[in-house]
Amino acid sequence: MDAYLMTYFKDDTHGLYFALSDDGYTFTDVNSGKPVVAGDTIAEQKGIRDPYIMRGNDGYFYIAMTDLHIYGKQKGYRDTEWERPGDKYDWGNNRDLVLMKSKDLIHWSHSVLDINKAYPEWNVGCVWAPELIYDEAKDRIMIYFTMRKGKGKTKLYYAYMNKDFTALETTPEILFDYPDETKQILDADITKLPDGRFCMMYVAQESPGGIKMAFSDKINTAYVYQPEQIDFEKKSCEAPNVFKRIGENKWVLMYDVFSVNPHNFGFAETTDFKTFTNLGHFDQGVMKRTNFSVQKHGSVIHLTRKEAELLAKHWK
């Protein structure tokens, strides 16, 4: 592995974006700040959010995204603020996730996963921010996401995908119970640690909302709560994503600082998942952007040199 690929989206287009980096510090958008996939070509609501990319153990790349356009009414995609009444289902109230699969990062198959249709008895209020991880014991991709039933609190759920990556093979179950049931939790990100344990970063909507950790010996259960908030923000942030620096015993926590203007990402670095060093925001420290200035809810994976060069060449 010799390069990094970051996925993200923007509110103005609700499309999918890619940015490449040679060193994990400076990122360049492959399409000069324009979408590589338009949300209105793949999503029921004509827009995607929260793209997460994973390198599979089978030679494929997988992406999972929220199927939601928060400006659908303004864009003329629907006549109402949300697909369904906000007084019954609250903010956003989407029902679908968008799934994509590719061998080369250029040509993608896609499908829509309708959680509400699969489980109508749940009265799904929203399903957001899906992420993926390969479970070696199950030989399946585990998908985990934020879900709200009706107008209840958002919670974290997990399930297993079928081999074709088009539908769930198991019924979603609770991934983690927050000790304060009055608080919402969302945006989980699971990292397998060198010692075999799993670290789950997630957002607790405290005041301010921010990033917390929980640890487990198992990929899908028994995560132990830790009270500390580990981000370095004075205001709320969300969407944690952890990536490793290639060839180093360092991991970077990237998160979305939605509460600042202009919108930005924050970064922290760790070697032990106990103490973290503040790397600041994009373009205000060591982390840089070269040809884009706005991004939301990102994720990062490693690429080979050949994969990065083919992707860059395709988008010129």
Side-chain angles (χ1 to χ4, degrees):
M1 297 298 159
D2 196 40
Y4 304 78
L5 171 64
M6 180 174 75
T7 65
Y8 65 97
F9 85 100
K10 296 181 183 180
D11 269 340
D12 59 345
T13 66
H14 280 67
L16 173 65
Y17 295 77
F18 286 168
L20 287 169
S21 174
D22 287 328
D23 58 7
Y25 290 92
T26 300
F27 286 83
T28 298
D29 189 279
V30 301
N31 197 25
S32 301
K34 298 187 289 291
V36 296
V37 179
D40 61 7
T41 65
I42 56 173
E44 279 198 356
Q45 285 204 29
K46 309 301 182 185
I48 62 92
R49 300 173 70 81
D50 318 325
Y52 180 84
I53 189 167
M54 183 192 82
R55 176 189 289 275
N57 68 314
D58 55 0
Y60 283 89
F61 296 94
Y62 296 88
I63 294 179
M65 298 169 281
T66 306
D67 186 330
L68 173 63
H69 201 308
I70 66 170
Y71 303 126
K73 183 178 180 181
Q74 296 92 314
K75 296 289 185 179
Y77 294 132
R78 56 180 177 257
D79 297 326
T80 55
E81 181 182 11
W82 307 114
E83 276 197 314
R84 299 171 294 169
D87 60 344
K88 291 184 178 180
Y89 297 100
D90 217 331
W91 191 96
N93 72 56
N94 70 311
R95 296 170 277 192
D96 306 335
L97 300 174
V98 179
L99 307 173
M100 294 185 9
K101 181 178 179 179
S102 175
K103 198 79 171 178
D104 59 7
L105 296 167
I106 297 167
H107 305 92
W108 295 89
S109 63
H110 87 278
S111 58
V112 172
L113 176 59
D114 190 327
I115 302 295
N116 188 66
K117 184 180 292 184
Y119 305 98
E121 68 276 11
W122 287 355
N123 191 30
V124 171
C126 75
V127 53
W128 297 337
E131 293 205 5
L132 309 166
I133 188 169
Y134 176 66
D135 186 337
E136 296 177 5
K138 301 271 190 186
D139 188 29
R140 287 290 188 273
I141 292 174
M142 187 179 101
I143 187 169
Y144 52 104
F145 49 86
T146 303
M147 186 166 67
R148 180 177 66 231
K149 295 182 178 180
K151 287 188 69 176
K153 302 294 184 183
T154 58
K155 297 182 179 182
L156 300 175
Y157 292 80
Y158 77 94
Y160 287 91
M161 298 299 306
N162 65 3
K163 283 288 190 180
D164 293 330
F165 197 62
T166 57
L168 298 183
E169 202 168 69
T170 66
T171 300
E173 299 180 50
I174 289 288
L175 176 63
F176 173 65
D177 280 313
Y178 196 65
D180 185 347
E181 293 184 355
T182 68
K183 305 297 184 185
Q184 299 202 123
I185 56 172
L186 59 154
D187 292 359
D189 180 84
I190 298 173
T191 302
K192 187 174 183 180
L193 304 182
D195 62 8
R197 292 181 303 148
F198 297 90
C199 174
M200 181 176 69
M201 304 283 188
Y202 67 99
V203 173
Q205 287 193 336
E206 304 282 358
S207 183
I211 315 301
K212 290 190 175 184
M213 294 189 297
F215 293 88
S216 178
D217 292 327
K218 300 179 180 179
I219 196 170
N220 60 14
T221 189
Y223 282 94
V224 178
Y225 170 78
Q226 293 195 176
E228 298 81 15
Q229 190 167 308
I230 61 170
D231 62 84
F232 290 90
E233 304 307 315
K234 296 178 180 179
K235 296 183 178 181
S236 294
C237 60
E238 61 186 8
N241 178 250
V242 175
F243 65 93
K244 189 176 185 296
R245 293 214 183 275
I246 297 170
E248 296 184 78
N249 186 42
K250 294 180 181 178
W251 287 260
V252 178
L253 166 62
M254 177 176 73
Y255 51 84
D256 191 325
V257 194
F258 65 90
S259 58
V260 298
N261 189 15
H263 191 99
N264 209 334
F265 280 4
F267 299 89
E269 197 170 68
T270 185
T271 60
D272 57 9
F273 287 82
K274 295 177 183 177
T275 58
F276 291 80
T277 301
N278 186 8
L279 300 185
H281 294 175
F282 258 143
D283 304 326
Q284 298 170 12
V286 297
M287 305 299 295
K288 306 290 185 182
R289 301 166 291 192
T290 66
N291 63 346
F292 63 106
S293 59
V294 179
Q295 73 291 316
K296 297 191 76 172
H297 204 117
S299 68
V300 174
I301 61 168
H302 299 153
L303 298 183
T304 66
R305 175 58 45 187
K306 182 179 180 180
E307 290 166 343
E309 289 176 348
L310 287 174
L311 186 59
K313 181 180 179 182
H314 174 78
W315 292 103
K316 300 179 177 61

